[in-house]
Every structure is written in C-alpha cells, then in structure tokens.
Amino acid sequence: MPELPEVETIKNQVKDILPLKIESVEYSPFSRSIIKGQDFDPLGKTIKDVCRQGKVLRFLFSNQLRMISGLGMSGSWRISEKKIEVKHTHILFKGKKGKKTFYLGYVDPRRFGNIHFLTANNEEQWLKRLGPDVSSDNFNEEYLWSLRQQKPTKVLKPFLLDQQFFAGIGNYMASEICARAHVRPTRKMGKLTRKECQLLVEATRSVLEDSIKNNGTTFSGGYADAFGEKGEGVKNLVVFYQKNCGICQKTEVKKIILGNRGTYYCPHCQK
C-alpha cells in the first residue's frame, strides 16, 4: 500500500496544478463507500494547496475547508490535461488553473481508501488519531526512548506500523528500517538501547530519502504515481522481498509473520 514516500510523491506532483478551481465533479457508483464524511460539496470550490501528514493527503480548499484522503491499499490521485478514463476512477474533478484545464481523479481498484470533506475544526479532530510524522523533527531519539519506557512489551516491527505513534510507516518501510538499524524486527521495545533508538531514527531518514528520490516504491500490481508511473525505490531495498541481504551481500533473507504481516530480516546483520 502507499506509504509516506509514495504519498509524498503524489503530493508534490499534485502541487504543480494548484490552485485549481473545480468546475465539475463526477462520482462513480462506488464512491459512496469511499467518502466517509461530507461537510461540504467541492463543486465550485478552489483547491489552494495540498500537504501530507503521515500517509494522509490534506487538500486545503478555500473558506477553511479540507479534504482528507487516505489511499488505503491501492489508491492514487491522477493528473491529466485530458479526461481521465482509467478504470476504477471513483472521483473526478475538472478544474482550471488560470486558463488551463486539468483533471484530478481518485483511482482505487480495491476501494480500501477513504475520503473526508471536512471543516477545518472537524479536520483538526480527525488528525488527532495520527502520531508524529516520521519525516518531521518530532520523530527523534528522545521520542523513541520515551515510547520504549511507555510500551516496553511492544514488538518493534508491528509497533512501527501503528499510525497513532509512527505516522507514515507501512510494511515495507518497517522491515527496511529494522534492517538498516541492524535490529531484529522481533525485539521488544523495552530491550532497545539508546544507541539503537538513534539508529532507528537514522534508518527511517535513510529509507525515506532513498524511496522519495525514486518517486516511491512499486511492487507487482501496486502503487502508481499521479501520472500512472511506477516508483523505482525497489532498487534500494535491502531485505524486503529480497533473496539475499543487501547489507552484507551474502546472507539469505528470512521471512516471518509478525502482526499478520510479512516481515523480512537478515539473521546475520540484525541482532
């Protein structure tokens, strides 16, 4: 599913067509299963900006109105100067930036994504469910150390997926972070050292940098950016879906199940 690097890529691409005054909106027959809240009608409104918090896109409309978009397992926003005819397009905005017309469509084959049209106050309440964005300065060694003390029995890798504490991390990132920090994904939070907390933060920054500069990471049949292109971050992976460890270059990567999710690690490099 799209994780922080993929959502960041889409955000940066969408920014280029903003502000966008919406002249028409089309909904698929399945869109009501995706739209979870609608405080306002976007027709006639202007999308002034877009930003990201964790794996969530925040579209900032005029008059302090907001659209929150969680991409679920297979969601993406697509941009085109022609009408988007891609299958599974569930919301399609047609709008103007200056004199130029753009289409902005939400595409989601599996329909696990969610969209909320909210007032600024309601958005503020909604966002309280998210912890610190792991690309921000609020995610640091001291924060991890405090969680070590608060949640000592939590198993590291599944805990990294909890958006209440680590906004932006998904499954491939969690395995990669543990690998680059040289920490086993099965370690309990209470067993982490100060140094390992520092290494986990540094590993997070490293994974983010590598994936974002390659426009995200696409696996088979997965994520596509706002132009329908695949991300090339797979070339930077060291354990996830890899046969041999990309760090030591020799040890076979092991796969286990933690928290019902596939988890990859190197038994030589990760202690």
Side-chain angles (χ1 to χ4, degrees):
M1 65 185 293
E3 303 180 22
L4 190 156
E6 293 73 50
V7 180
E8 178 73 7
T9 298
I10 293 171
K11 180 208 77 175
N12 291 337
Q13 293 169 336
V14 171
K15 267 184 177 289
D16 287 341
I17 67 165
L18 302 181
L20 188 72
K21 184 172 182 180
I22 298 172
E23 296 183 331
S24 69
V25 185
E26 295 181 23
Y27 300 97
S28 80
F30 304 102
S31 63
R32 293 302 159 186
S33 67
I34 295 168
I35 298 172
K36 305 299 184 182
Q38 191 155 12
D39 293 345
F40 69 96
D41 184 347
L43 182 62
K45 307 295 190 302
T46 297
I47 304 175
K48 299 173 71 175
D49 200 2
V50 61
C51 53
R52 179 194 53 73
Q53 187 159 333
K55 294 187 281 186
V56 172
L57 283 170
R58 299 172 56 228
F59 292 82
L60 312 183
F61 282 72
S62 50
N63 301 320
Q64 296 295 302
L65 300 174
R66 306 285 190 257
M67 179 176 70
I68 288 178
S69 175
L71 302 181
M73 295 292 292
S74 60
S76 177
W77 285 91
R78 298 289 178 86
I79 299 167
S80 179
E81 294 182 28
K82 298 180 180 180
K83 186 172 182 179
I84 297 169
E85 305 284 359
V86 177
K87 191 176 180 182
H88 307 298
T89 300
H90 298 297
I91 300 176
L92 182 61
F93 298 133
K94 177 185 177 183
K96 283 279 184 67
K97 179 182 181 181
K99 295 183 179 180
K100 199 164 186 178
T101 298
F102 290 98
Y103 290 87
L104 178 63
Y106 179 68
V107 179
D108 192 347
R110 300 182 70 179
R111 304 202 304 273
F112 289 150
N114 58 84
I115 290 174
H116 307 256
F117 294 96
L118 301 171
T119 63
N121 286 340
N122 286 342
E123 185 209 35
E124 183 179 0
Q125 292 301 312
W126 192 96
L127 291 173
K128 287 181 179 179
R129 69 189 68 190
L130 299 180
D133 185 298
V134 296
S135 69
S136 73
D137 292 339
N138 292 327
F139 178 69
N140 52 40
E141 176 190 337
E142 289 302 321
Y143 177 70
L144 267 185
W145 187 251
S146 69
L147 288 181
R148 173 196 181 275
Q149 295 171 304
Q150 296 169 32
K151 307 286 184 180
T153 62
K154 290 284 187 180
V155 178
L156 175 60
K157 192 266 182 171
F159 190 38
L160 288 173
L161 301 180
D162 191 332
Q163 300 304 293
Q164 294 182 69
F165 299 95
F166 306 99
I169 296 178
N171 200 43
Y172 87 79
M173 278 187 63
S175 285
E176 290 293 301
I177 289 166
C178 291
R180 296 189 190 201
H182 301 281
V183 178
R184 282 276 173 105
T186 52
R187 288 275 295 280
K188 296 283 184 70
M189 286 294 293
K191 298 295 185 181
L192 294 176
T193 65
R194 275 268 188 185
K195 180 63 175 177
E196 286 169 336
C197 288
Q198 177 187 344
L199 290 173
L200 285 164
V201 171
E202 292 173 357
T204 302
R205 304 274 191 257
S206 173
V207 172
L208 289 175
E209 181 180 354
D210 282 346
S211 191
I212 290 171
K213 74 183 181 183
N214 286 290
N215 291 329
T217 300
T218 300
F219 302 99
S220 177
Y223 153 83
D225 69 13
F227 301 105
E229 301 295 328
K230 296 179 179 180
E232 298 183 354
V234 289
K235 63 187 180 184
N236 298 117
L237 300 177
V238 296
V239 290
F240 196 80
Y241 278 179
Q242 303 303 298
K243 181 178 180 181
N244 293 320
C245 172
I247 297 173
C248 68
Q249 303 290 328
K250 61 182 180 180
T251 308
E252 183 178 352
V253 169
K254 300 296 183 184
K255 179 184 179 183
I256 57 175
I257 304 297
L258 288 176
N260 297 317
R261 305 297 298 276
T263 301
Y264 299 80
Y265 74 97
C266 172
H268 172 74
C269 295
Q270 294 171 255
K271 306 301 181 183

